[in-house]
Amino acid sequence: MHYRADPASVFAMLTDQAFQERKVGTISKGAWDVRVQQEGESAVIVSHRTLPPEVVPDAFRAMISTSITITQTEKWGPAAPDGSRNGSIDVELSGVPVRLTGTLTLAPAPDGGCVEQVVGELKAKIPLFGSKVEKAAEPAVRAAIDAEGRIGAQWLAERS
């Protein structure tokens, strides 16, 4: 994702409780909550989103009887001298053996903006069907990342 703001401004946005509430509230189809905890120059963002059964992708419906709760944890480290930051992401689905783990990076862009990169591995630990479930879940993960980019760009534009 590319933002038209420097890494410090993007980090301030990502760790703003109101931004996280807008983001999680916009992408959620059911109940949700989010908490931002600053720890010195680092931060931890934890969100919980509930997917009601009717919006659960077909590949998961046979494995669940009720809703799925998604817990997403982002941990951001301190800024480097150039303003860049590294972090981690962990997304776990309750009741379904599917997990996304990866890295987060904020880095200055040549145009004065900032690039946020999410690199992760989505794993479904389901014998015989794991790769099918991973492929089915990938579009939803990409859509959530794209939505964060759109919501973030709008947030920054409203404040510049």
Side-chain angles (χ1 to χ4, degrees), residues 84-152:
S84 64
R85 289 180 186 263
N86 294 308
S88 64
I89 184 168
D90 183 73
V91 181
E92 187 173 5
L93 285 69
S94 68
V96 182
V98 177
R99 183 176 215 132
L100 170 77
T101 57
T103 59
L104 303 168
T105 306
L106 281 180
D111 64 359
C114 176
V115 175
E116 179 184 8
Q117 186 175 27
V118 180
V119 177
E121 181 177 40
L122 181 66
K123 280 298 198 188
K125 295 182 179 179
I126 304 166
L128 304 175
F129 299 103
S131 63
K132 182 179 179 181
V133 171
E134 291 165 6
K135 287 177 186 170
E138 186 177 343
V141 171
R142 288 192 186 281
I145 292 169
D146 291 345
E148 178 175 322
R150 285 191 307 278
I151 296 163

Side-chain angles (χ1 to χ4, degrees), residues 1-159:
M1 294 170 277
H2 181 272
Y3 295 107
R4 293 184 173 165
D6 60 70
S9 298
V10 173
F11 181 72
M13 171 189 73
L14 293 173
T15 57
D16 185 301
Q17 182 71 33
F19 168 75
Q20 287 295 328
E21 289 173 0
R22 180 188 290 186
K23 179 186 83 170
V24 175
T26 299
I27 65 174
S28 296
K29 305 279 192 244
W32 60 271
D33 69 79
V34 63
R35 171 179 45 86
V36 177
Q37 183 177 344
Q38 295 281 120
E39 298 174 351
E41 291 186 39
S42 301
V44 177
I45 304 157
V46 179
S47 65
H48 304 277
R49 301 186 306 274
T50 302
L51 292 179
E54 62 272 12
V55 300
V56 172
D58 291 338
F60 297 120
R61 281 200 190 131
M63 293 181 269
I64 63 164
S65 59
T66 59
S67 58
I68 293 176
T69 299
I70 300 169
T71 301
Q72 180 171 324
T73 304
E74 298 176 31
K75 295 180 180 179
W76 287 100
D82 67 353
S84 64
R85 289 180 186 263
N86 294 308
S88 64
I89 184 168
D90 183 73
V91 181
E92 187 173 5
L93 285 69
S94 68
V96 182
V98 177
R99 183 176 215 132
L100 170 77
T101 57
T103 59
L104 303 168
T105 306
L106 281 180
D111 64 359
C114 176
V115 175
E116 179 184 8
Q117 186 175 27
V118 180
V119 177
E121 181 177 40
L122 181 66
K123 280 298 198 188
K125 295 182 179 179
I126 304 166
L128 304 175
F129 299 103
S131 63
K132 182 179 179 181
V133 171
E134 291 165 6
K135 287 177 186 170
E138 186 177 343
V141 171
R142 288 192 186 281
I145 292 169
D146 291 345
E148 178 175 322
R150 285 191 307 278
I151 296 163
Q154 179 182 19
W155 178 274
L156 292 166
E158 291 170 359
R159 282 149 183 79

